[in-house]
Amino acid sequence: MSDTALAAPSRSVLSRIWRSDLAVSFRRNPGAIVGGAILLLLAAGALFAPWVAATDPYDLATLSLLDSRLPPIWIDGGTWPYLLGTDTQGADLLSLILYGMRTSLLVGLAAVALSCTLGSLLGLIAGYFGGRVGGVIMRAADIQFTFPAIILALLIGGIAQAVLPASLQATFALPVVVMALGLSHWPHFARLVRGGVLVEKKKDYVAAARLAGRGSASIMVRQLLPNVMNVIFVLATLDVAFAVMGEATLSFLGFGLPPTEPSLGTLIRSGYSYLFAGEWWLVIFPGLTLMLVIVAINLVGDWLRDALNPRIH
Amino acid sequence: MIAFLARRLVHGALVLLVVSLLAFALSAFVGDPVASILGLNATPEDRAVLRERLNLDDPWASRYLSFVTSAVQGEFGMSYSAQRPVIDLVLERVPATLELAGVALAFSLLIGLPIGVYAAVFRHNWSSGAVMMLSVIGVSLPSFVVGILLIFMFSVRLGWLPSFGRGEVVDIGWWTTGLLTVSGLTSLIMPAAALAVGQVALIARLVRAEMLEVLRTDYIRFARARGLKPRVINLSHALRNTLIPVITVSGIQLGFLVAFAIVVEAVFQWPGLGLLFLQALGSTDVPVISAFLLLAACFFLVINTIVDLLYLVADPRLRVRGGLSSEAAL
């Protein structure tokens, strides 16, 4: 692959990408274009928050109580540069949202990385070996499927709070949330990958690899995994939306990140108490941002599902 | 069929075993029941007496057995924070959650069905595409954010609807209902709507997909050839066969609505099971958490089994394969 890429001038690589099936289906899907553009914009804002944001909302030295509780700029009393207004400590809401989105996306990606790795690995093993090992793995997945994931995630988050001493809670809040969301969703990947492996392992190329003397681990990773990668990728994309929503839900309910670790969920939680006091923007804008993130991810995920895998609809 | 039921029974027993072990482990290892009941200022003698009374010094196997036997009898002990039997707390919260989930399900069917039929019948129309794109957005809306937006709109701005609680409820025997009073009904609208938004989109997508499948079948083509009116074909021939999967999915969705009610109940301070669970989780009220987990496990097992049975009845092809697990349960 790298040979041809080196040999061909870069323009034709671009044009090959432009003409590939994936790109063509992307161009024909207005939802994917809109979702992709929004996602790109939001991700860039989150990634470059320290440079894009008007202020650093966590630099207490720059905060001024004189600027606190300012409404959005289009409402009487709003001032530059606080486009979306300020919170009760005078921090710029837009900056808070950009920084919060960073945490939310980070938690989302980390949680999916966990559930995807764990689930795919167990699914590979269950599908390839079958028998007792596979039976135990899939039984465990079945048992977990009985409960909706959100109950499990809440339980893990809540128990962690009860067990961890208060001094450690803030430090471990982020890994706990990642664990809670990751562990509550691995069965999806396990089931999907196992199904794919069961189909693939009957094919000739696996028999050929076995005849060539490849070991089980090598066949699983080198032969089977690449062939179920498409479905894993689609599910992982859609799962990021679940994880971002899950983080926000946990944090909103008080079982996720603490207020010191700003995410979209903690912003909604702390803003919610001001909804009736008049500072509605503190909860409405983080909430709308959360919606926008999830909608954008789902629009892109839906397109990927149709483009990469016409089987699962 | 019998093999299927046997398999479900084994699965159910396994789930209950795991969940009961988990619930027991919680009560054994998380939090200190003696401190929770007596407070931190109790004398060592009082503690010893209570430890004796709660059998805390017995081997864990015998404690697990007594935990299970009392749980089977609906005896989950006293709530640490409310100082009342857990089972009473749970039972008085059940109506609130079931009414919320039931009304939300009714909303999602009443709105989702027509939208799905419309999108299938006019599938070449641009509006059908727009409906489908809107449904992606609908599925993506987190119910608690929808709830907050509704409160902002209709409670804070317009002042039309109450923002929290269940309003006045009427006591009919062992059930309390908010469906018979004006304040109960107005309190129910927003939580149910917040809960239903995602489901509307889901039902609409499902109905459209199923209906498109049915519209491609031969009997629909013959019905057209016979010159029946499109309206008759669509509504009486096609829709009727679309409804079976919709009914089963609604069953699964009822389970999900109950699960997601947890979040919505927190937004609206709706006095249901979810709020009870969250409060128990926040104060590490282990008996309540254990009871919630066990009852939730039973509830979801029953729902899943009924749904699978309905599938078997509705689709004879599945009987050959000998049953399925509730794959659709996300």
Side-chain angles (χ1 to χ4, degrees):
Chain A
M1 179 207 126
S2 57
D3 285 351
T4 51
L6 280 179
S10 66
R11 205 176 132 209
S12 87
V13 173
L14 281 180
S15 84
R16 211 180 311 148
I17 293 174
W18 179 251
R19 280 187 208 143
S20 69
D21 292 349
L22 209 58
V24 169
S25 77
F26 185 80
R27 288 203 299 276
R28 288 188 185 150
N29 187 331
I33 296 173
V34 173
I38 296 173
L39 201 57
L40 213 62
L41 199 71
L42 292 176
L47 195 63
F48 302 113
W51 297 277
V52 179
T55 60
D56 179 355
Y58 299 105
D59 184 2
L60 292 176
T62 63
L63 299 186
S64 155
L65 283 179
L66 287 176
D67 291 336
S68 72
R69 297 169 190 256
L70 291 177
I73 196 160
W74 59 87
I75 289 173
D76 271 351
T79 50
W80 185 259
Y82 309 116
L83 280 177
L84 298 182
T86 60
D87 72 357
T88 46
Q89 274 148 28
D92 173 39
L93 182 61
L94 182 59
S95 309
L96 279 170
I97 289 177
L98 288 173
Y99 276 85
M101 213 155 53
R102 257 182 151 193
T103 320
S104 288
L105 289 175
L106 178 78
V107 169
L109 290 173
V112 171
L114 177 63
S115 59
C116 178
T117 315
L118 187 70
S120 305
L121 202 68
L122 290 173
L124 264 179
I125 294 172
Y128 185 73
F129 292 115
R132 194 163 291 176
V133 184
V136 169
I137 292 175
M138 293 327 287
R139 228 344 85 95
D142 282 348
I143 291 174
Q144 201 171 319
F145 257 118
T146 309
F147 277 96
I150 189 72
I151 294 186
L152 210 70
L154 272 172
L155 192 68
I156 297 177
I159 299 298
Q161 275 190 4
V163 175
L164 285 174
S167 56
L168 291 180
Q169 271 177 18
T171 332
F172 283 103
L174 211 125
V176 163
V177 173
V178 170
M179 281 242 304
L181 295 171
L183 290 182
S184 62
H185 241 221
W186 70 268
H188 291 254
F189 288 94
R191 210 173 247 190
L192 196 67
V193 170
R194 176 178 167 270
V197 167
L198 284 182
V199 174
E200 292 293 326
K201 82 170 178 183
K202 292 194 196 101
K203 294 190 178 165
D204 289 340
Y205 71 92
V206 177
R210 215 175 277 148
L211 284 176
R214 294 279 187 101
S216 301
S218 154
I219 292 178
M220 278 195 280
V221 176
R222 295 257 189 95
Q223 316 288 330
L224 293 174
L225 191 60
N227 282 295
V228 291
M229 214 55 187
N230 270 1
V231 279
I232 296 180
F233 194 59
V234 172
L235 183 60
T237 312
L238 289 169
D239 228 32
V240 175
F242 158 81
V244 170
M245 183 148 33
E247 179 280 320
T249 308
L250 286 187
S251 300
F252 173 72
L253 295 175
F255 300 103
L257 300 173
T260 48
E261 196 111 41
S263 70
L264 291 177
T266 53
L267 286 177
I268 296 172
R269 177 179 172 79
S270 54
Y272 187 45
S273 44
Y274 295 102
L275 179 58
F276 298 95
E279 285 89 6
W280 52 268
W281 55 91
L282 291 179
V283 59
I284 298 298
F285 291 123
L288 290 176
T289 312
L290 176 66
M291 282 185 175
L292 210 57
V293 172
I294 296 170
V295 170
I297 296 175
N298 275 338
L299 284 172
V300 173
D302 262 27
W303 154 71
L304 265 182
R305 182 178 53 193
D306 293 348
L308 289 181
N309 189 342
R311 269 178 304 164
I312 43 169
H313 257 287
Chain B
M1 189 65 132
I2 291 175
F4 164 75
L5 278 178
R7 204 171 309 149
R8 291 311 305 222
L9 220 58
V10 172
H11 169 72
L14 212 62
V15 168
L16 287 179
L17 177 75
V18 171
V19 174
S20 66
L21 277 172
L22 184 75
F24 169 73
L26 283 184
S27 58
F29 301 116
V30 178
D32 178 2
V34 177
S36 307
I37 294 172
L38 291 179
L40 293 171
N41 300 326
T43 62
E45 291 78 34
D46 285 348
R47 285 162 183 272
V49 171
L50 190 66
R51 283 192 77 81
E52 181 65 36
R53 196 160 63 81
L54 295 174
N55 297 327
L56 286 180
D57 297 319
D58 291 4
W60 72 266
S62 81
R63 281 168 59 203
Y64 173 68
L65 269 184
S66 65
F67 172 78
V68 171
T69 38
S70 44
V72 169
Q73 297 161 6
E75 178 63 55
F76 292 97
M78 299 282 276
S79 154
Y80 296 159
S81 48
Q83 289 298 331
R84 286 178 54 205
V86 171
I87 192 71
D88 293 357
L89 285 176
V90 169
L91 285 183
E92 71 187 28
R93 299 283 191 124
V94 168
T97 295
L98 284 188
E99 270 180 11
L100 175 59
V103 172
L105 187 64
F107 274 3
S108 48
L109 284 175
L110 283 177
I111 304 169
L113 256 173
I115 293 179
V117 170
Y118 174 86
V121 172
F122 299 98
R123 61 196 166 282
H124 301 303
N125 203 326
W126 65 270
S127 58
S128 165
V131 165
M132 280 307 103
M133 195 154 140
L134 276 178
S135 78
V136 178
I137 298 175
V139 175
S140 316
L141 299 182
S143 48
F144 71 99
V145 177
V146 175
I148 290 172
L149 291 178
L150 288 176
I151 290 179
F152 176 58
M153 204 59 216
F154 296 104
S155 298
V156 178
R157 277 287 154 100
L158 299 170
W160 288 351
L161 295 169
S163 63
F164 67 91
R166 213 182 153 199
E168 262 175 74
V169 291
V170 180
D171 221 327
I172 33 175
W174 45 274
W175 189 275
T176 57
T177 180
L179 299 176
L180 297 177
T181 63
V182 175
S183 78
L185 285 174
T186 49
S187 304
L188 186 57
I189 294 174
M190 284 200 295
L195 201 50
V197 166
Q199 310 299 324
V200 170
L202 216 88
I203 299 267
R205 284 169 81 103
L206 177 81
V207 170
R208 172 178 172 274
E210 293 289 337
M211 187 106 171
L212 285 178
E213 202 107 310
V214 173
L215 286 176
R216 270 197 293 267
T217 55
D218 285 339
Y219 72 87
I220 294 293
R221 227 172 286 153
F222 284 123
R224 280 206 194 102
R226 272 167 60 202
L228 293 181
K229 286 194 186 107
R231 202 167 58 96
V232 176
I233 297 174
N234 288 332
L235 293 184
S236 130
H237 289 68
L239 182 60
R240 191 175 301 169
N241 285 292
T242 307
L243 281 181
I244 299 163
V246 172
I247 291 168
T248 48
V249 166
S250 312
I252 302 177
Q253 290 316 312
L254 186 66
F256 274 86
L257 287 169
V258 169
F260 279 103
I262 295 178
V263 188
V264 171
E265 284 177 11
V267 175
F268 290 94
Q269 291 298 305
W270 185 263
L273 281 174
L275 198 60
L276 181 73
F277 174 62
L278 288 176
Q279 284 160 349
L281 210 54
S283 59
T284 327
D285 195 341
V286 177
V288 179
I289 301 176
S290 301
F292 179 87
L293 287 181
L294 278 169
L295 293 174
C298 294
F299 174 75
F300 288 118
L301 280 174
V302 170
I303 289 241
N304 289 348
T305 309
I306 293 176
V307 166
D308 285 356
L309 278 177
L310 281 176
Y311 267 123
L312 284 180
V313 174
D315 193 342
R317 279 169 301 177
L318 294 171
R319 279 179 222 159
V320 185
R321 268 191 268 149
L324 66 164
S325 49
S326 1
E327 197 100 13
L330 275 156

